């Protein structure tokens, strides 16, 4: 199980790296001016026009990265359920809730 | 964005990622001042880049630590309760007159913990002395064991003073949410100096915690427009490479060196 999580983390890091490198390269060569300031905003990401510019790729890289710790905590909940360790199912569950709540506060 | 600027940001991130993974810090405490003073970035943009980089440090080195089973997940999750709560508190606090007071609290905590660590090293010559579990640690079985490759022995450890460590980690979480750093330095000293967790296990476990903590406040930073992709992308790339190397090295050296 830990091996699987470790592999997924590696994969996530690689995907994140690739999306960001390609995003940066595309911006560099195409002179993408959709987001000249470079500052990311969630509204612009979701409803920005034109959609799917190179900067979106970079943003997606960030999102994948941020999803990794969520995945780690999530899988640990599953591991403890599997081990019937209810104290830690609760602890990991609360951590996951706080984590997601923090993110939700960020989006809202 | 100029190429030179990107390259410099990458270089700064590479070194802070390396040190960060090696020491169980997020590297933000090294990176933020460098970005501000060397590249002349506004501090909130530097903090925004740093908070994403902390997640990168944590994730990139996690896979290395997990393979060797040094990370104490139970302890990490128990203390992550404190740090994530702290991160939410920190992100929710408005930066105002209380900032100076907070800094004094954090500085004091850090000094107290490093003083304890220093005493312990002088008296024992090791970064760690065995302790037995206190009743919280007993109840939650927070102690652990791992195989130390540098010493070539199996190391078992218990935890004392779990409650103070929990409170200190809460403060670390607030710091993280406020300043865009991982709070790793504080987590680490809490585990190592206050509770008696061996250095390597503390580094690996703190590494897990900072990722979770930083992820909690990252979207808040993005929401406030503090994440500039031209700064953050090179920073994250540098951090990924640097921290991967740092984690590899961390397993091979002795705790005292750190």
């Amino acid at each position: 199980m830990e091996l699987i999580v470790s592999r997924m983390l590696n994969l996530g890091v690689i995907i994140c790296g690739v999306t960001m490198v390609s995003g940066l390269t595309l911006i560099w060569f195409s002179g993408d001016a959709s987001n000249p300031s470079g500052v990311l905003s969630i509204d612009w990401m979701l409803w920005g026009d034109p959609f799917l510019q190179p900067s979106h790729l970079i943003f997606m890289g960030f999102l994948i990265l941020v999803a990794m710790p969520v995945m780690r905590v999530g899988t640990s909940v599953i591991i403890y359920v599997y081990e019937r360790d209810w104290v830690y199912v609760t602890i990991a569950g609360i951590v996951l809730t706080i984590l997601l709540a923090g993110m939700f506060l960020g989006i809202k | 964005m100029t190429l030179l600027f990107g390259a410099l940001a990458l270089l700064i991130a590479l070194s802070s990622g390396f040190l960060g993974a090696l020491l169980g810090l997020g590297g933000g405490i090294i990176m933020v001042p460098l970005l501000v003073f060397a590249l002349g970035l506004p501090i909130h943009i530097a903090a925004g880049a740093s908070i994403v980089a902390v997640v990168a440090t944590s994730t990139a080195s996690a896979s290395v630590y997990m393979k060797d089973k040094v990370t104490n997940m139970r302890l990490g999750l128990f203390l992550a309760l404190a740090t994530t709560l702290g991160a939410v508190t920190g992100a929710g606090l408005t930066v105002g007159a209380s900032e100076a007071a907070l800094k004094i609290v954090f500085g004091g905590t850090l000094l107290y913990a490093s003083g304890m660590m220093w005493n312990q090293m002088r008296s024992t010559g090791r970064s760690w002395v065995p302790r037995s579990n206190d009743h919280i640690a007993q109840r939650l079985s927070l102690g652990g064991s791992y195989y130390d490759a540098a010493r070539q022995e199996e190391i078992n450890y218990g935890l004392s003073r779990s409650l103070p460590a929990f409170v200190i980690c809460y403060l670390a979480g607030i710091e993280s949410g406020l300043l865009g750093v991982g709070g790793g330095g504080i987590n680490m000293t809490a585990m190592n100096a206050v509770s008696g967790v061996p250095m390597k296990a503390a580094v690996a476990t703190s590494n897990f915690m900072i990722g979770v903590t930083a992820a909690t406040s990252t979207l808040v930073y993005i929401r406030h427009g503090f994440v500039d992709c031209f700064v953050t992308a090179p920073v994250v790339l540098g951090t990924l490479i640097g921290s991967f190397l740092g984690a590899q090295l961390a397993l091979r050296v002795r705790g005292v060196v750190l």
Side-chain angles (χ1 to χ4, degrees), chain A residues 82-105:
Chain A
Y82 188 71
E83 289 175 358
R84 303 189 177 281
D85 187 341
W86 303 120
V87 177
Y88 274 91
V89 171
T90 315
I91 291 182
I94 297 173
V95 173
L96 190 64
T97 313
I98 301 172
L99 186 49
L100 293 175
M103 291 184 161
F104 183 73
L105 279 176

Side-chain angles (χ1 to χ4, degrees), chain B:
Chain B
M1 180 187 69
T2 67
L3 209 54
L4 178 70
F5 177 85
L8 275 174
L10 191 104
L11 210 68
I12 289 175
L14 195 86
S15 46
S16 69
F18 180 78
L19 284 171
L22 194 60
L23 301 173
L25 316 169
I29 215 145
I30 308 163
M31 183 189 298
V32 174
L34 275 176
L35 286 176
V36 170
F37 293 116
L39 294 182
L41 289 171
I43 190 155
H44 59 273
I45 296 291
S50 161
I51 197 103
V52 186
V54 170
V55 183
T57 308
S58 168
T59 308
S61 38
S63 56
V64 180
Y65 287 131
M66 280 181 82
K67 251 178 271 168
D68 292 324
K69 297 197 161 86
V70 187
T71 310
N72 184 337
M73 279 299 281
R74 285 170 194 272
L75 178 59
L77 284 168
F78 170 66
L79 293 178
L81 270 181
T83 57
T84 48
L85 267 178
V88 173
T89 317
L93 280 178
T94 42
V95 184
S98 61
E99 196 184 8
L102 282 167
K103 275 183 180 156
I104 292 168
V105 173
F106 295 135
T109 318
L110 205 56
L111 276 177
Y112 163 73
S114 43
M116 284 185 73
M117 202 150 88
W118 175 245
N119 268 337
Q120 186 183 300
M121 269 169 77
R122 261 206 326 205
S123 55
T124 61
R126 288 180 72 139
S127 66
W128 166 76
V129 279
R131 306 228 191 119
S132 52
N133 280 326
D134 64 11
H135 67 278
I136 299 176
Q138 194 77 51
R139 174 104 175 72
L140 298 175
S141 48
L142 291 176
S145 67
Y146 68 98
Y147 180 76
D148 190 319
R151 290 182 190 279
Q152 303 206 321
E153 57 183 336
E154 182 80 16
I155 291 184
N156 287 289
Y157 55 92
L159 254 94
S160 62
R161 285 180 280 193
S162 313
L163 203 61
F166 190 83
V167 173
I168 293 174
C169 284
Y170 176 68
L171 293 176
I174 296 183
E175 186 206 16
S176 166
L178 270 180
L179 306 175
V181 298
I186 301 177
N187 291 338
M188 250 245 339
T189 35
M191 280 186 271
N192 181 261
V194 179
S195 284
V197 176
M199 191 64 122
K200 274 187 203 178
V203 167
T205 306
S206 157
N207 182 269
F208 162 71
M209 288 158 58
I210 57 171
V212 177
T213 315
T216 309
S217 38
T218 301
L219 287 189
V220 178
Y221 272 82
I222 293 181
R223 169 75 183 167
H224 288 302
F226 292 167
V227 178
D228 180 331
C229 66
F230 296 145
V231 179
T232 311
V235 162
V236 168
L237 286 175
T239 309
L240 285 177
I241 303 166
S243 53
F244 186 72
L245 297 174
Q248 296 277 5
L249 185 67
L251 292 169
R252 280 169 190 74
V253 295
R254 291 184 176 221
V256 179
V257 184
L258 298 177

Side-chain angles (χ1 to χ4, degrees), chain A residues 52-70:
Chain A
L52 273 185
Q53 290 295 307
S55 342
H56 285 92
L57 268 180
I58 299 180
F59 186 72
M60 267 169 55
F62 294 164
L63 279 191
I64 293 168
L65 196 62
V66 173
M68 291 293 115
V70 183

Side-chain angles (χ1 to χ4, degrees), chain A residues 27-95:
Chain A
I27 291 175
W28 185 251
F29 287 110
S30 69
D32 168 30
S34 65
N35 190 8
S37 68
V39 173
L40 298 176
S41 86
I42 289 162
D43 291 347
W44 172 76
M45 280 301 156
L46 293 179
W47 297 285
D49 188 47
F51 200 63
L52 273 185
Q53 290 295 307
S55 342
H56 285 92
L57 268 180
I58 299 180
F59 186 72
M60 267 169 55
F62 294 164
L63 279 191
I64 293 168
L65 196 62
V66 173
M68 291 293 115
V70 183
M71 187 205 69
R72 278 185 91 185
V73 179
T75 44
S76 69
V77 175
I78 298 170
I79 292 173
Y80 291 123
V81 168
Y82 188 71
E83 289 175 358
R84 303 189 177 281
D85 187 341
W86 303 120
V87 177
Y88 274 91
V89 171
T90 315
I91 291 182
I94 297 173
V95 173

